Amino acid sequence: MTDFLLEAAELSTGYGETIVLENLSLRLASGEALAILGRNGVGKSTLLLSLLGLTTRHGGVVRYRQDDISTWPAYKRARAGLALVPQERDIFKSLSVEENLQVSAMGATGNAWSLDRVYDLFPRLHQRRRNLGNQLSGGEQQMLAIGRALIGNPHVVLFDEPFEGLAPVIVDQLVDAFWKLRADGGMGVVVVEQHAELGLELTDRALVLDRGREVWSGRSSELAASPELLGTLVGLESA
């Protein structure tokens, strides 16, 4: 039997008394990438926050490396190896690139991701390492947000709309970095992506949500090969 890196079983979550996700289940193996797809407002970002313990759980469980972490606070999940690259990026704009990375490295266990390795993945960050966060372009800020997540040496990285609002040339650079991460082999990745075709291209499996519920799950290649089904499931967001 496969030992899954991250699992959610019949998970129902929301904000306070409001339930957003109902009875969702997913599994992520080591080295696997999972796309979370769906129209705007169906609960994709809420799912990532729920895996991190940042929402109200109304039912179900979350397991990480076979441990039930359903009641763990967010900081404990982060220390255990779950990392988020948020849609808003959330970098420290008054700190330099290097200071942002150094702050994020504090308390990290292991040494798989060093400053040098982040700079190797994103040479532009090395060039801009003395610049403050508010002096970076949108693409540079996204690179820094990813670097901050990686330097904590996570085993699972959750990406929330990592390519949103970026120029095509920057998207190409980030996609190349994503494939380098995948080539490492051991890291699990979950990607929320509005552009469904890109999300499917980057991942092994996909989970499609509608109104907080699963409406399709399976191999990304299978859904990518069925444009009519993809269009029905995610509508204009597949364009």
Side-chain angles (χ1 to χ4, degrees), residues 18-162:
T18 302
I19 297 176
V20 177
L21 302 176
E22 293 188 75
N23 299 318
L24 275 183
S25 296
L26 64 82
R27 287 178 168 179
L28 182 73
S30 180
E32 187 175 42
L34 173 69
I36 308 296
L37 307 177
R39 296 174 173 86
N40 285 327
V42 299
K44 302 186 300 295
S45 296
T46 297
L47 176 55
L48 298 190
L49 296 177
S50 298
L51 295 172
L52 288 166
L54 295 171
T55 59
T56 303
R57 183 172 60 96
H58 292 271
V61 298
V62 178
R63 298 185 184 91
Y64 172 67
R65 291 182 154 183
Q66 311 305 308
D67 290 327
D68 185 343
I69 65 170
S70 304
T71 61
W72 288 15
Y75 76 86
K76 186 173 180 180
R77 300 187 196 202
R79 288 179 180 173
L82 300 181
L84 174 68
V85 179
Q87 187 175 3
E88 299 81 8
R89 297 166 188 151
D90 290 348
I91 64 170
F92 295 113
K93 294 187 177 181
S94 62
L95 299 182
S96 70
V97 166
E98 194 146 302
E99 288 169 339
N100 265 276
L101 294 170
Q102 289 171 336
V103 167
S104 298
M106 294 175 62
T109 57
N111 58 358
W113 282 93
S114 61
L115 272 174
D116 287 342
R117 191 174 177 195
V118 171
Y119 289 149
D120 184 58
L121 183 66
F122 295 120
R124 183 63 177 164
L125 291 184
H126 184 260
Q127 297 169 11
R128 303 279 276 166
R129 64 190 182 279
R130 308 298 183 201
N131 290 82
L132 301 181
N134 61 9
Q135 297 174 321
L136 304 179
S137 68
E140 291 166 345
Q141 289 185 13
Q142 187 65 292
M143 293 174 189
L144 180 54
I146 295 171
R148 286 187 56 190
L150 293 174
I151 208 164
N153 294 306
H155 299 289
V156 176
V157 180
L158 312 175
F159 291 88
D160 194 358
E161 303 280 5

Side-chain angles (χ1 to χ4, degrees), residues 180-235:
K180 289 178 181 177
L181 293 179
R182 296 289 321 273
D184 256 4
M187 185 181 294
V189 174
V190 181
V191 183
V192 165
E193 180 51 52
Q194 282 298 106
H195 296 284
E197 288 93 344
L198 179 57
L200 294 172
E201 176 187 334
L202 295 173
T203 56
D204 305 296
R205 292 188 302 108
L207 172 66
V208 184
L209 304 182
D210 188 28
R211 299 181 183 180
R213 292 179 174 269
E214 174 191 319
V215 292
W216 190 92
S217 66
R219 302 292 301 176
S220 296
S221 57
E222 179 185 348
L223 187 54
S226 304
E228 183 175 343
L229 174 60
L230 179 61
T232 299
L233 292 171
V234 302

